[in-house]
């Protein structure tokens, strides 16, 4: 809702939905009106302002993720939510907490094989990456791995992302009818949407982006991260 309006109607929560020309809180019959491109432009600006660093602060992780998505056409989903029930994860959410979420979902081609890869994205300054003991991000990845290890889960996830790619193809076709110059979808998305087999990488990875040159202490933190996860570094990814 914070991206939709600066003054949400009384009683609105965090999540709203678009139904025809109405922006609604779930269960409510009326809400705000959607006025097409003008409304979409307002939402885009509000989201950009929300992610923009304030008062000299470091770039937010949402900003970094936005840059990653814009540069990587194989990204197929953001913030994949995990279940909140007690039996699903070793460190299940306390009452009132939001669902745990994997930041990025991408497709990766290895020869003829296509696989789903999950990523936890963090700014290099995030304290979850830096610790004299065990980095907090390790527990996050353990939760993700436990979820994927549940019986039948990888098959279920692969089936869901087959459907995801079919929808991306359909949405892209609609967008292209309005804007013919839109960038093409990644070949892997076409392959999955057209029925190619899809596997799931059960070891989530870490992607780290920087606002500038790494600090002198970064190398020791990176070495610790690499003992339990695959790590990819993206240097010089400030807000633009």
């Amino acid at each position: 809702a914070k991206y939709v309006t600066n003054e949400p109607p009384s009683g609105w929560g965090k999540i709203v939905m678009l139904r025809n020309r109405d922006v609604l809180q779930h269960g409510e019959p009326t809400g705000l009106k959607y006025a097409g491109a003008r409304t979409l432009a307002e939402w885009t600006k509000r989201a950009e302002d929300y992610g923009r660093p304030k008062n000299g602060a470091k770039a937010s992780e949402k900003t970094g993720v936005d840059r990653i998505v814009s540069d990587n056409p194989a990204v197929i989903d953001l913030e994949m939510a995990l279940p909140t029930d007690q039996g699903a994860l070793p460190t299940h959410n306390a009452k009132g907490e939001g669902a745990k979420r994997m930041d990025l979902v991408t497709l990766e081609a290895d020869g003829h094989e296509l696989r789903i890869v999950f990523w936890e994205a963090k700014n290099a300054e995030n304290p979850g990456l830096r610790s004299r003991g065990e980095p907090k991000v390790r527990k996050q990845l353990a939760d993700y791995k436990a979820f994927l290890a549940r019986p039948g889960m990888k098959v279920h996830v692969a089936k869901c992302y087959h459907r995801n790619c079919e929808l991306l193809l359909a949405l892209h076709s609609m967008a292209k009818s309005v804007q013919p110059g839109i960038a093409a979808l990644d070949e892997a998305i076409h392959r999955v949407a057209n029925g190619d087999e899809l596997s799931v990488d059960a070891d989530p990875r870490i992607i780290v982006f920087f606002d500038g040159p790494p600090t002198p202490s970064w190398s020791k933190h990176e070495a610790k991260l690499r003992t339990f996860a695959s790590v990819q570094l993206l240097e010089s990814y400030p807000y633009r």
Side-chain angles (χ1 to χ4, degrees):
K2 65 190 176 187
Y3 301 121
V4 170
T5 176
N6 291 326
E7 299 180 357
S10 177
W12 268 31
K14 294 182 178 180
I15 307 300
V16 295
M17 60 182 176
L18 178 63
R19 179 182 293 164
N20 297 323
R21 291 283 177 173
D22 294 304
V23 182
L24 305 171
Q25 178 73 33
H26 182 69
E28 296 293 328
T30 60
L32 303 176
K33 288 298 181 182
Y34 178 78
R38 177 172 60 82
T39 303
L40 186 59
E42 291 172 357
W43 292 358
T44 301
K45 184 179 185 306
R46 194 172 288 114
E48 289 176 344
D49 290 343
Y50 181 79
R52 194 181 304 276
K54 306 292 192 302
N55 301 321
K58 298 291 185 179
S60 72
E61 286 170 0
K62 291 185 182 298
T63 299
V65 168
D66 183 65
R67 289 286 309 278
I68 292 167
V69 172
S70 69
D71 292 343
N72 293 274
V75 174
I76 57 172
D77 200 7
L78 299 175
E79 297 194 359
M80 173 184 156
L82 277 60
T84 57
D85 59 285
Q86 184 170 351
L89 303 170
T91 55
H92 71 278
N93 292 3
K95 185 177 180 180
E97 289 185 11
K100 296 178 185 292
R101 299 173 185 274
M102 299 194 223
D103 290 326
L104 286 161
V105 185
T106 66
L107 293 179
E108 182 177 87
D110 184 5
H112 294 295
E113 180 183 356
L114 290 170
R115 67 173 69 94
I116 302 167
V117 179
F118 301 98
W119 299 86
E120 180 66 20
K122 292 192 181 299
N123 187 295
E125 300 299 319
N126 188 300
L129 299 178
R130 297 167 175 266
S131 173
R132 293 181 180 178
E134 183 175 284
K136 290 182 179 180
V137 71
R138 184 167 192 166
K139 183 170 73 68
Q140 286 183 274
L141 296 189
D143 281 342
Y144 304 160
K145 292 176 71 171
F147 168 75
L148 294 171
R150 296 176 72 183
M153 187 54 66
K154 288 196 287 291
V155 173
H156 175 67
V157 168
K159 181 178 179 180
C160 289
Y161 278 112
H162 262 290
R163 179 58 178 156
N164 169 284
C165 289
E166 291 173 355
L167 291 172
L168 287 175
L169 210 61
L171 290 170
H172 187 269
S173 178
M174 294 168 61
K176 192 170 184 179
S177 69
V178 177
Q179 180 57 265
I182 191 172
L185 289 176
D186 192 85
E187 179 188 358
I189 295 175
H190 285 271
R191 289 176 56 188
V192 174
N194 289 321
D196 276 23
E197 187 174 345
L198 187 60
S199 64
V200 175
D201 187 332
D203 291 309
R205 307 173 190 179
I206 303 172
I207 190 163
V208 182
F209 53 91
F210 297 81
D211 296 311
T215 62
S217 64
W218 169 251
S219 59
K220 66 179 181 181
H221 297 298
E222 179 186 344
K224 187 178 294 184
L225 296 174
R226 291 189 183 278
T227 63
F228 60 84
S230 173
V231 179
Q232 182 169 337
L233 307 181
L234 295 177
E235 297 185 9
S236 299
Y237 247 48
Y239 188 92
R240 64 179 179 188

